[in-house]
Amino acid sequence: TLAIFLSFLPSLCCRTWLSAARQENKKERKMAKVVSTTVEEPLDLIKLSLNERIYVKCRADRELKGTLHAYDRHLNMVLGDVEETITNVEYDPDTKEEIIKTQKRQLPLLFIRGDVVILISPPIRSG
């Protein structure tokens, strides 16, 4: 019986080692998930804002509010359900006053070229 037990011992050790390795791998994956929710670089903050509503200020007095669907390292972005606000400032030569006009429009999907982006504001998170 001792010989039979010793013959099974290597396979038992191997199974125990594999089980321990699998548990360690699960722990590493959990740690990777925790690390991925931390902000180490500016683009990490944008990554955390995927599929959430964000505010984007662009050149030419344009402001966008929409759901962030995709982005890249150049800040090219795809926004959905977008509200675009365009602000125009005109000067009245007679009264020498500024006349501010705003136009708003709704867009179902919008691609933004990264070089027009001035500011990106992620959603406010509490907690």
Side-chain angles (χ1 to χ4, degrees):
T1 59
L2 183 60
I4 294 172
F5 175 74
L6 291 176
S7 68
F8 286 113
L9 188 60
S11 64
L12 286 174
C13 290
C14 186
R15 285 185 200 146
T16 305
W17 180 81
L18 282 174
S19 177
R22 285 186 189 123
Q23 288 176 352
E24 189 65 30
N25 193 13
K26 285 181 184 177
K27 288 179 185 176
E28 288 175 6
R29 278 187 270 148
K30 278 186 179 180
M31 287 300 292
K33 287 180 182 176
V34 170
V35 170
S36 68
T37 60
T38 60
V39 177
E40 295 177 3
E41 298 179 10
L43 289 179
D44 291 346
L45 189 59
I46 298 171
K47 181 179 14 175
L48 294 174
S49 301
L50 279 171
N51 297 316
E52 296 194 31
R53 289 196 60 84
I54 62 168
Y55 168 80
V56 181
K57 184 168 178 67
C58 300
R59 292 183 189 178
D61 294 322
R62 292 176 184 260
E63 298 174 357
L64 306 167
K65 293 178 186 174
T67 305
L68 179 64
H69 292 299
Y71 72 97
D72 66 9
R73 63 184 174 160
H74 305 289
L75 292 182
N76 297 322
M77 291 181 273
V78 177
L79 295 180
D81 190 27
V82 181
E83 178 184 316
E84 180 183 30
T85 305
I86 304 168
T87 305
N88 293 322
V89 179
E90 297 175 1
Y91 295 98
D92 186 3
D94 297 334
T95 62
K96 298 184 181 178
E97 291 183 1
E98 292 182 351
I99 300 170
I100 299 172
K101 295 181 180 178
T102 58
Q103 297 174 325
K104 290 188 178 189
R105 66 179 180 163
Q106 294 290 126
L107 302 163
L109 198 64
L110 182 66
F111 176 83
I112 305 164
R113 186 176 162 95
D115 66 349
V116 302
V117 174
I118 296 172
L119 175 138
I120 300 171
S121 177
I124 296 172
R125 293 183 176 82
S126 60

